[in-house]
Amino acid sequence: MTTSDPRTVVIRYVEAVRDGDADVIQDSFTEDATWHYPGDLPVSKVWQGREEIVNEFLGTMGTVFVPGTVEIELVSTIAEGDRVVAEWTSRATTVYGGTYDNRCIGIYTVRDGKIASVIEYADTRHVAETLFPNENAHSPAGTE
């Protein structure tokens, strides 16, 4: 199903992440999409382009979770024009033996039925402690 309704596009993407549907995840972004993950974490930067977002950013994040333990729950969405704010929870067991349990917000901009940009906000202290416990939390991506 293809739709250009921004809220439907974002819900489809979040559900694809929840379900592990790599094809829908890949298809959800424009080729020139950006994903901004603010903060000072190893993944904090503006990720440029669909390939970098899907293969590097999302791909890297996927390696810190024990396969089969990730649970994503879409809590709410608010849409106005081409922008959608989505709130979700992410829970998983990490490869370090910890429990990841975070509430996140993403501000999505949709263009021609695909996600063109995202700014994601989360509890970065929790991300650092659970997903990057052996790394310097004050080394944003690309600054090593």
Side-chain angles (χ1 to χ4, degrees):
M1 178 180 89
T2 303
T3 179
S4 61
D5 171 62
R7 183 189 312 250
T8 303
V9 168
V10 171
I11 290 170
R12 177 179 178 251
Y13 165 74
V14 173
E15 289 176 346
V17 173
R18 178 197 66 202
D19 299 340
D21 190 334
D23 290 338
V24 171
I25 293 169
Q26 180 83 16
D27 186 56
S28 293
F29 293 95
T30 63
E31 188 174 322
D32 64 342
T34 60
W35 190 301
H36 185 190
Y37 198 93
D40 57 5
L41 297 167
V43 294
S44 293
K45 73 174 201 170
V46 178
W47 298 86
Q48 302 281 341
R50 176 178 47 223
E51 298 306 316
E52 187 173 270
I53 292 167
V54 172
N55 297 327
E56 294 179 38
F57 173 60
L58 297 175
T60 296
M61 296 301 282
T63 65
V64 296
F65 299 121
V66 173
T69 67
V70 177
E71 297 175 18
I72 306 281
E73 178 186 354
L74 185 61
V75 176
S76 67
T77 59
I78 300 169
E80 183 176 313
D82 64 353
R83 295 182 60 142
V84 178
V85 176
E87 179 183 12
W88 68 92
T89 58
S90 296
R91 295 179 186 91
T93 301
T94 73
V95 295
Y96 307 105
T99 300
Y100 180 75
D101 188 352
N102 211 342
R103 191 85 171 260
C104 308
I105 294 247
I107 302 170
Y108 295 79
T109 302
V110 176
R111 181 178 71 227
D112 299 325
K114 300 210 184 255
I115 298 166
S117 71
V118 182
I119 304 171
E120 181 181 344
Y121 299 97
D123 178 348
T124 56
R125 173 174 269 170
H126 180 66
V127 172
E129 291 173 354
T130 59
L131 302 186
F132 303 103
N134 301 323
E135 297 186 39
N136 180 357
H138 299 287
S139 296
T143 63
E144 301 78 41

